[in-house]
């Protein structure tokens, strides 16, 4: 067996081994202090309050590592057109799609943007999310991108979960540069990246590398500049076509490549070699009626597969990670345990937070959910209802 075969087997086994404890107890402050059998609680530990949740399941809170849930406007009309057979690309080429949200965002105040984000983040919390990444990318000018990032910061102040910000000035080319794409690329590199870095409002930089959006060449220029300024990298890769974006993400040492509906075998190979997380967004394939990403092949090939919602007004309008788990199990051949690992610990990897959250381990942030059932399998089996009864973040009950 080669070294890679060993790694492959290892990842698959790890994803399926979720270490279920029965009759368990835990002691928490803002972190998990102790986890074990209720018969073995250390006698020298003092606690202020004892909470009995017998008969319920406790899981790590969901880590939703990819969303665009701060925006303005309404695109339900586009959704209706797509149901009548018009494609996402066709709508985008008519000036709709991302650019329709850009035009609404540019008219909105920071407070209005934040209000939308807070509402969606609270919906996410109600469905079990305790870590949420949010991207800018609907402003596409320095002023509007900063407004979105400030709105994300306001969401962070109002919703007591871990919120990670990503700058995505290269989400699309704005209409005023439609005939001068290179000037926009230079603007992202020379003005936006430095200003966003100075503002301290974003940790990651993301880009949409695909047909009709940013070429590989332009993406490399933008991402190399972002990396040299200290941004961690993410890539919207091979969502609409086999574009070689996964290969590029691996070459750039991006933390994750996301979507990957049309990822090639070479792309998967390159990602495995570089340790780039494959973040899959089955809600988007569902909403756009596209073929799902090859989760089974990726897991069996030894990639670190994460699941996220992609919550956004165009291609997937849900912040509910329970729905994402259902779609992953039913349409991407993932086991329930693989889906849970992908939506928690592997999401944390996709945000470089694996030492801080994503699993119930002593020393990690006490982020967990209590389900209204005695079996975690109900999340998938008894689908379409919200099983999250309680959400706890950093040791505090927030739902
Ligand atoms: O992740 N692919 C690019 N961005 C979003 C869609 C954004 C939109 O349609 O508003 C996505 O699918
Ligand atoms: Fe996205």
């Amino acid at each position: 067996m080669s070294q890679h075969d060993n790694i492959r087997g290892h990842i698959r086994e790890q994803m399926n081994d979720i270490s279920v404890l029965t009759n368990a107890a835990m002691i928490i402050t803002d972190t998990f202090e102790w986890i074990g059998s209720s018969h073995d609680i250390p006698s020298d530990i003092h606690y202020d309050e004892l909470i009995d949740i017998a008969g319920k399941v406790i899981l790590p809170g969901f880590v939703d590592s990819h969303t665009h849930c701060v925006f303005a406007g309404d695109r339900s009309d586009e959704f209706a057109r797509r149901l009548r057979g018009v494609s996402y690309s066709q709508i985008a080429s008519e000036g709709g799609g991302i650019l329709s949200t850009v035009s609404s965002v540019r008219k909105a105040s920071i407070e209005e943007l934040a209000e939308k984000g807070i509402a969606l983040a609270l919906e996410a919390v109600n469905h079990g999310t305790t870590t949420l990444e949010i991207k800018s990318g609907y402003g596409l000018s320095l002023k509007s991108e900063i407004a979105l990032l400030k709105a994300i910061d306001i969401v962070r102040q109002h919703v007591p979960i871990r919120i990670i910000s990503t700058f995505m000035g290269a989400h699309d080319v704005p209409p005023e540069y439609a005939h001068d794409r290179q000037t926009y690329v230079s603007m992202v590199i020379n003005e936006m990246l430095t200003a966003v870095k100075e503002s301290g409002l974003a940790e990651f930089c993301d880009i949409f590398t695909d047909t009709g959006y940013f070429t590989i060449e332009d993406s490399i220029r933008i991402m190399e500049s972002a990396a040299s300024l200290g941004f961690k990298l993410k890539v919207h890769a091979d969502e609409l076509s086999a574009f070689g974006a996964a290969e590029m993400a691996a070459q750039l040492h991006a933390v994750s490549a996301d979507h990957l509906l049309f990822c090639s075998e070479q792309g998967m190979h390159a990602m495995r070699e570089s340790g780039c997380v494959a973040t899959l967004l089955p809600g988007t394939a569902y909403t756009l009626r596209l073929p799902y990403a090859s989760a089974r092949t990726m897991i069996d090939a030894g990639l670190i597969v994460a699941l996220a919602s992609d919550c956004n007004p165009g291609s997937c309008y849900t912040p509910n990670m329970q729905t994402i788990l259902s779609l992953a199990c039913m349409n991407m051949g993932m086991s329930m345990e693989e889906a849970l690992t992908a939506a928690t610990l592997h999401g944390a990897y996709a945000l470089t937070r694996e030492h801080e959250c994503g699993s119930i381990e002593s020393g990690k942030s006490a982020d967990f959910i209590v389900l209204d059932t005695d079996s975690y399998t109900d999340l998938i089996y008894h689908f379409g209802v919200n099983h999250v009864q309680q959400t706890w973040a950093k040791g505090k009950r927030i739902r």
Side-chain angles (χ1 to χ4, degrees):
M1 214 192 228
S2 75
Q3 194 195 354
H4 285 138
D5 288 331
N6 275 326
I7 293 168
R8 275 202 280 275
H10 195 49
I11 291 262
R12 192 174 48 222
E13 278 159 32
Q14 278 185 339
M15 283 189 88
N16 277 291
D17 177 13
I18 59 170
S19 309
V20 178
L21 291 182
T22 44
N23 290 322
M26 57 192 196
I27 296 166
I28 60 166
T29 55
D30 55 340
T31 55
F32 295 113
E33 300 296 323
W34 180 89
I35 301 134
S37 160
S38 56
H39 306 298
D40 299 335
I41 299 177
S43 53
D44 57 337
I45 287 197
H46 303 285
Y47 42 79
D48 301 330
E49 198 185 352
L50 180 68
I51 302 171
D52 182 0
I53 41 170
K56 309 274 188 251
V57 171
I58 291 187
L59 292 175
F62 297 124
V63 178
D64 190 351
S65 65
H66 180 141
T67 83
H68 309 250
C69 67
V70 169
F71 61 85
D74 181 321
R75 281 162 61 192
S76 53
D77 54 333
E78 279 180 17
F79 179 71
R81 284 185 71 201
R82 284 209 311 276
L83 293 187
R84 291 195 291 268
V86 186
S87 73
Y88 184 79
S89 306
Q90 173 64 31
I91 289 170
S93 74
E94 294 166 6
I98 294 173
L99 295 184
S100 137
T101 303
V102 169
S103 126
S104 308
V105 163
R106 287 178 173 182
K107 291 182 208 128
S109 66
I110 295 180
E111 291 70 28
E112 284 164 341
L113 295 170
E115 203 180 317
K116 183 80 193 172
I118 290 169
L120 281 167
L122 289 173
E123 280 183 11
V125 167
N126 287 342
H127 292 88
T129 296
T130 50
T131 297
L132 182 68
E133 185 259 14
I134 310 178
K135 301 173 200 298
S136 68
Y138 288 124
L140 309 187
S141 69
L142 179 57
K143 180 168 167 268
S144 300
E145 285 295 306
I146 293 279
L148 284 162
L149 291 167
K150 284 187 175 160
I152 296 171
D153 205 38
I154 297 175
V155 179
R156 183 182 291 113
Q157 288 155 30
H158 282 76
V159 185
I161 57 173
R162 186 174 297 91
I163 291 186
I164 316 270
S165 316
T166 298
F167 166 63
M168 199 173 177
H171 195 188
D172 201 348
V173 175
E176 60 275 23
Y177 290 98
H179 302 292
D180 192 7
R181 305 174 74 87
Q182 284 314 310
T183 304
Y184 186 65
V185 171
S186 301
M187 223 176 88
V188 172
I189 294 173
N190 299 322
E191 292 172 32
M192 293 167 109
L193 280 173
T194 28
V196 171
K197 190 67 203 172
E198 270 167 30
S199 75
L201 289 167
E203 176 177 339
F204 284 84
C205 178
D206 198 341
I207 189 165
F208 193 2
T209 305
D210 218 317
T211 306
Y213 295 86
F214 291 87
T215 62
I216 296 281
E217 206 186 357
D218 290 340
S219 302
I220 291 177
R221 280 182 63 208
I222 292 172
M223 293 313 246
E224 282 182 343
S225 306
S228 71
L229 288 167
F231 286 99
K232 298 172 193 167
L233 308 182
K234 289 183 167 289
V235 180
H236 276 61
D238 306 325
E239 174 183 357
L240 305 171
S241 62
F243 204 66
E247 290 87 327
M248 179 198 79
Q251 183 194 321
L252 289 165
H253 301 290
V255 177
S256 72
D258 303 30
H259 285 289
L260 303 169
L261 305 189
F262 296 93
C263 182
S264 68
E265 260 182 51
Q266 295 92 304
M268 292 183 207
H269 179 80
M271 286 176 64
R272 184 187 59 203
E273 295 303 301
S274 79
C276 182
V277 176
T279 301
L280 307 184
L281 311 161
T284 307
Y286 170 75
T287 308
L288 297 182
R289 292 171 161 166
L290 291 172
Y292 287 81
S294 307
R296 198 63 269 142
T297 313
M298 291 181 193
I299 293 169
D300 293 345
L303 273 79
I304 304 168
V305 169
L307 285 170
S309 73
D310 197 22
C311 179
N312 76 76
S315 63
C316 183
Y317 194 20
T318 182
N320 179 352
M321 287 293 282
Q322 295 170 67
T323 301
I324 301 305
L325 289 171
S326 284
L327 292 173
C329 291
M330 299 312 297
N331 296 309
M332 296 202 302
M334 290 174 76
S335 71
M336 292 188 273
E337 294 74 17
E338 285 169 341
L340 277 173
T341 306
T344 54
L345 184 58
H346 288 191
Y349 271 102
L351 295 171
T352 65
R353 292 297 194 286
E354 66 275 17
H355 300 298
E356 194 178 315
C357 63
S359 57
I360 299 178
E361 285 180 82
S362 58
K364 281 194 173 184
S365 181
D367 301 348
F368 61 95
I369 54 180
V370 179
L371 304 186
D372 63 357
T373 161
D374 62 0
S375 171
Y376 68 86
T377 59
D378 276 339
L379 273 181
I380 313 299
Y381 172 50
H382 183 182
F383 68 98
V385 294
N386 184 8
H387 287 291
V388 173
Q389 194 182 64
Q390 299 178 22
T391 303
W392 292 66
K394 299 169 198 161
K396 298 218 160 46
R397 184 169 175 186
I398 57 171
R399 167 187 155 77

